[in-house]
């Protein structure tokens, strides 16, 4: 803070004057207190929970520079820009920096002229860097994305394992580790590997109430996606996840042809193209990123209005992390997914094929089963999600598809027994399509070739059509009664679990898939009703102009929430403007007049 803050400035006044927020969120306050007083902290908070302030405020309050370790090089610049906008003396050190610039940052650190310094982990652990840190005054170490130490997770970074040395080399400096990954195993690993036995744990609720979860049956995925975009997000930023690079390319193209500003992102694209696409996504207001999971860790863009999945993620952890990138700003957002029989078969097979011990495979299967369970569930999805993370919600949420449109179920016991018996009678060697032919009594070459027309199951299932049978098979596989055999191209085999069902000792309630996906629209007003859209657009225009002039994303100037406050409060003086949430002193002075003028003009127009 330009060196003017007395060492003991209170955290609250930093929050108000620098960040422009009136109060800490409940957990933030205790975390900040703990770190300011020199203690270690382990922070588990969902995306959008407000983790950054937990180390940014203490870095400003404590003497010296806060060191933030983050694997997300692409994001550092953005974060540093945002801090500089607030008047914080922030910088970063990573491989994208020219040697001269890096030297300048190091010199600034030594002279005590930095409040916050972001460093990539591989750089931090170099002995040169460590020596430099030893010669500097360090306020704290913040280890962001701390789940990267977990060898089980998909974001594992070997460099993170070395971060335990911070404790040995800098025993007096408080450390704060942060992650949005919730499961207990990862948490335990973080504590062990980062040597955080002394740390206080802070675990926030994992609910993201502003995200609406929907999982629909996959029929014609591209059409379904286009319909979703047209009806609900015609001009919004969002992410569409696909499993393969090919599908990313195809989908991006289809969206472009439909008039959307869509860009592909996957590990097969040249690095330069990837980062330019990422920059476009951050900078513009309505870019759709079509991506593999290579995209997104730590995407800080607050106004991602939807995350769509065209393929099923392998675990609930992955699903929750990916969908969690929507709606960081707390405004309404959608997590939308389509899934079908092929997804289940494909993933089950991939897991069978995967490397690793039997134990590892079993663990993977269990996690996939939980994901499938979430897809097939007929009760509140949010309750199920939170339960999975050991959190709870006493009432159904009212903001997921199963709450909004209760799923009809039917007694599928008889159908399931027919299906299982068809699998058994045909020798557990055939895939779904053939099995359905058997059940429906189709008279084709393959049926005759194998003499399947003489089976007792032949034609016993004419009462259900093709789609209904696919639905039955999908649910049987999803629930673990059947599995797809990798050696025989998706041939279905019986699992032990199906015995009681076959013997008539168990009944089975199945989802009734609707022939057509629900057409009822839940279009929501993104803006509160009483907001004047004309003023809103004028303010956005003003923000866009200011952002473009400086080459930064609009949200770095003000978040949508702050613009909404301007519409609601209609401030007429600079003091009133400074009182809005999200307006700190520096932004008040830098931008106040511009926005006040827009408001003024708007009010005058209303008068005449
Ligand atoms: P995370 O890193 O946990 O995903 P961020 O630190 O990016 O979350 O914060 C999410 C959003 O919440 C940001 O827009 C941030 O400015 C806002 N925010 C955080 N703390 C507060 C607070 N105390 N008051 C108001 N807004 C806050
Ligand atoms: Zn619900």
């Amino acid at each position: 803070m330009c060196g003017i803050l007395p060492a003991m400035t209170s955290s609250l006044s930093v929050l108000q004057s620098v960040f422009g927020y009136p109060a800490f969120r409940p957990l933030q306050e205790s975390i900040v207190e703990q770190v300011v007083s020199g203690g270690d902290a382990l922070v588990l908070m969902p995306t959008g929970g407000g983790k950054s302030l937990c180390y940014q405020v203490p870095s400003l309050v404590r003497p010296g520079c806060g060191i933030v370790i983050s694997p997300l090089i692409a994001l550092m610049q953005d974060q540093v820009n945002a801090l500089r906008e607030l008047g914080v003396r922030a910088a970063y050190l990573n491989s994208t920096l020219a040697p001269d610039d890096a030297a300048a940052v190091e010199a600034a650190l030594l002279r005590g002229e930095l409040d916050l310094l972001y460093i990539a982990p591989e750089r931090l652990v170099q002995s040169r860097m460590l020596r430099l840190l030893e010669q500097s005054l360090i306020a704290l170490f913040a280890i962001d994305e701390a789940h990267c130490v977990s060898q089980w997770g998909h974001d594992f970074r070997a460099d993170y394992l070395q971060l335990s040395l911070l404790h040995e080399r800098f025993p007096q400096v408080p450390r704060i580790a942060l992650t949005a990954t919730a499961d207990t195993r990862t948490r335990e690993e973080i504590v062990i590997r980062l040597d955080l036995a002394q740390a206080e744990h802070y675990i926030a609720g994992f609910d993201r109430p502003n995200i609406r979860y929907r999982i629909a049956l996959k029929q014609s995925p591209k059409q379904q996606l286009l319909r979703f975009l047209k009806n609900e997000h015609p001009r919004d930023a969002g992410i569409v996840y696909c499993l393969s690079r090919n599908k990313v390319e195809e989908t991006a193209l289809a969206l472009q042809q439909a008039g959307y500003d869509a860009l592909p992102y996957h590990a097969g694209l040249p690095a330069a193209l990837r980062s330019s696409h990422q920059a476009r996504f951050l900078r513009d207001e309505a870019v759709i990123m079509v991506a593999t999971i290579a995209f997104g860790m730590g995407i800080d863009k607050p106004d991602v209005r939807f995350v769509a999945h065209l393929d099923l993620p392998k675990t609930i952890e992955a699903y929750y992390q990916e969908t969690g990138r929507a709606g960081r700003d707390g405004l309404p957002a959608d997590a939308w997914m389509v899934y079908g029989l092929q997804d289940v078969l494909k993933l089950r097979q991939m897991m069978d094929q995967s490397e690793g011990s039997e134990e590892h495979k079993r663990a993977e299967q269990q996690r996939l089963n939980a994901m499938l369970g979430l897809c097939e569930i007929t009760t509140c999805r949010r309750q199920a999600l939170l339960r999975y993370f050991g959190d709870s919600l006493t009432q159904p949420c009212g903001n997921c598809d199963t709450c909004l449109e209760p799923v009809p179920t039917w007694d599928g016991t008889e159908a399931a027994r027919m299906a299982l018996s068809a699998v058994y009678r045909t020798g557990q060697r055939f895939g779904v399509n053939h099995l359905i032919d058997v059940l429906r009594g189709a008279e084709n070459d393959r049926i005759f070739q194998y003499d399947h027309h003489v089976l007792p199951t032949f034609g016993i299932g004419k009462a259900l059509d093709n789609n209904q049978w696919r639905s039955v098979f999908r649910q049987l596989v999803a629930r673990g009664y059947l599995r797809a055999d990798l050696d025989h191209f998706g041939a279905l085999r019986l699992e032990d679990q199906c015995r009681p069902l076959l013997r008539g000792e168990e009944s089975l309630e199945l989802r009734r898939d609707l022939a057509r996906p629900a057409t009822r629209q839940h279009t929501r007003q993104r803006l509160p009703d009483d907001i004047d859209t004309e003023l809103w657009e004028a303010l956005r225009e003003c923000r866009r102009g200011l952002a473009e002039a400086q080459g930064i994303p609009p949200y770095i100037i003000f978040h949508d929430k702050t613009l909404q406050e301007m519409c609601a409060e209609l401030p007429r003086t600079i003091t009133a403007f400074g009182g809005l949430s999200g307006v700190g002193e520096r932004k008040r002075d830098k931008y106040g007049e511009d926005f006040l003028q827009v408001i003024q003009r708007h009010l005058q127009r209303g008068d005449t």
Side-chain angles (χ1 to χ4, degrees), residues 15 21 23-25 28 46-53 300 328 559:
L15 181 75
Y21 296 133
F24 283 112
R25 293 175 180 164
Q28 281 176 333
T47 311
K51 285 186 284 302
S52 356
L53 284 180
D300 258 349
R328 266 183 185 240
H559 282 184

Side-chain angles (χ1 to χ4, degrees), residues 3 19 34 75 120 128 146 178 181-182 187 192 196 212 238 253 276 281 295 348 362 370 401 414 459 470 499 506 570:
F19 296 90
Q34 163 83 351
L75 263 166
R128 211 185 133 268
L178 311 104
T181 302
R187 192 187 317 167
I192 293 170
L196 277 170
R212 174 171 295 175
L253 194 66
S276 95
F281 180 69
F295 176 73
R348 284 250 199 261
R362 240 192 329 273
D401 52 358
E414 206 40 50
R470 289 182 78 79
R499 287 210 186 114
E506 191 183 290
L570 300 173

Side-chain angles (χ1 to χ4, degrees), residues 15 19-26 28-29 43 45-56 79 144-145 178-180 208 299-302 324 327-330 555 559 561 581-582:
L15 181 75
F19 296 90
Y21 296 133
F24 283 112
R25 293 175 180 164
Q28 281 176 333
E29 187 164 11
V43 175
M45 246 188 218
T47 311
K51 285 186 284 302
S52 356
L53 284 180
C54 297
Y55 56 83
Q56 289 169 346
Q79 284 162 335
D144 206 3
E145 312 289 348
L178 311 104
T179 178
R208 302 284 313 280
I299 284 302
D300 258 349
K301 189 175 167 63
R328 266 183 185 240
D329 54 11
Y555 60 79
H559 282 184
K561 260 210 165 132
S581 173

Side-chain angles (χ1 to χ4, degrees), residues 212 214 231-234 520-526:
R212 174 171 295 175
R214 275 184 290 171
N231 290 340
E232 303 183 40
H233 298 283
R520 203 170 100 203
Q521 280 174 30
H522 308 288
T523 318
R524 277 160 307 161
Q525 212 51 43
R526 181 168 145 211

Side-chain angles (χ1 to χ4, degrees), residues 40 43 58 102 117 127 179 197-198 251 304 306 309 356 359 385 388 405 419 475 514 581:
D40 293 340
V43 175
L117 175 61
S127 50
T179 178
Q198 306 298 319
T251 309
V304 175
F306 67 90
H309 280 93
E359 188 208 343
L385 274 169
Y388 182 79
E405 268 177 281
Q475 297 183 63
L514 302 171
S581 173

Side-chain angles (χ1 to χ4, degrees), residues 380-383 396-400 402-403:
C380 174
R381 300 219 200 257
R382 192 181 313 269
Q383 282 184 314
C397 76
N399 194 27
C400 71
T402 49
C403 279

Side-chain angles (χ1 to χ4, degrees), residues 409-597:
T409 59
W410 59 295
D411 182 351
T413 314
E414 206 40 50
R417 287 171 65 187
M418 288 182 193
L420 295 174
S421 137
V423 171
Y424 179 71
R425 300 270 181 190
T426 53
Q428 311 189 57
R429 292 188 295 132
F430 294 87
V432 176
N433 292 329
H434 186 74
L435 291 166
I436 294 177
D437 283 347
V438 172
L439 285 161
R440 299 197 19 112
E443 302 189 346
N444 60 33
D445 292 351
R446 258 188 117 199
I447 291 282
F448 294 125
Q449 180 189 345
Y450 293 102
D451 279 339
H452 283 166
H453 56 293
V454 303
L455 294 176
T457 30
F458 186 72
I460 59 170
K462 285 190 174 142
L464 301 187
D465 68 19
N466 236 295
N467 283 331
Q468 289 166 323
W469 276 119
R470 289 182 78 79
S471 163
V472 171
F473 277 106
R474 185 194 79 239
Q475 297 183 63
L476 287 172
V477 176
R479 296 190 188 191
Y481 291 98
L482 289 172
R483 78 185 152 83
D485 187 339
L486 138 90
D487 297 327
H488 294 91
F489 267 93
L492 293 181
R493 292 179 183 277
L494 301 177
E495 292 281 37
D496 286 345
Q497 222 212 102
C498 69
R499 287 210 186 114
L501 192 59
L502 275 174
R503 284 199 298 260
E505 297 163 7
E506 191 183 290
S507 63
L508 193 64
E509 211 46 32
L510 293 178
R511 251 181 183 261
R512 188 182 295 287
D513 292 325
L514 302 171
R516 263 172 358 106
T519 46
R520 203 170 100 203
Q521 280 174 30
H522 308 288
T523 318
R524 277 160 307 161
Q525 212 51 43
R526 181 168 145 211
L527 293 170
D529 282 338
D530 51 355
I531 275 190
D532 187 325
T533 48
E534 214 173 291
L535 175 58
W536 167 253
E537 287 303 334
L539 292 169
R540 291 217 318 168
E541 193 49 47
C542 173
R543 177 176 68 175
R544 190 157 34 231
L546 292 167
E548 247 161 47
Q550 302 173 78
I552 55 177
Y555 60 79
I556 286 195
I557 296 188
F558 288 124
H559 282 184
D560 285 358
K561 260 210 165 132
T562 305
L563 259 49
Q564 287 191 4
E565 280 219 2
M566 290 181 207
C567 292
E569 304 286 326
L570 300 173
R572 289 156 204 249
T573 64
I574 197 79
T575 316
F577 188 83
L580 301 176
S581 173
V583 184
E585 286 168 5
R586 155 98 183 203
K587 287 188 178 175
R588 177 197 64 200
D589 296 347
K590 190 166 173 195
Y591 300 121
E593 286 305 330
D594 289 306
F595 286 93
L596 283 174
Q597 265 183 29

Side-chain angles (χ1 to χ4, degrees), residues 57 75 163 179 202 219 358 391 458 486 501 586 598 605:
V57 171
L75 263 166
L163 294 178
T179 178
Y202 299 90
Q219 288 164 328
E358 280 307 310
D391 207 346
F458 186 72
L486 138 90
L501 192 59
R586 155 98 183 203
V598 174
R605 263 227 307 277

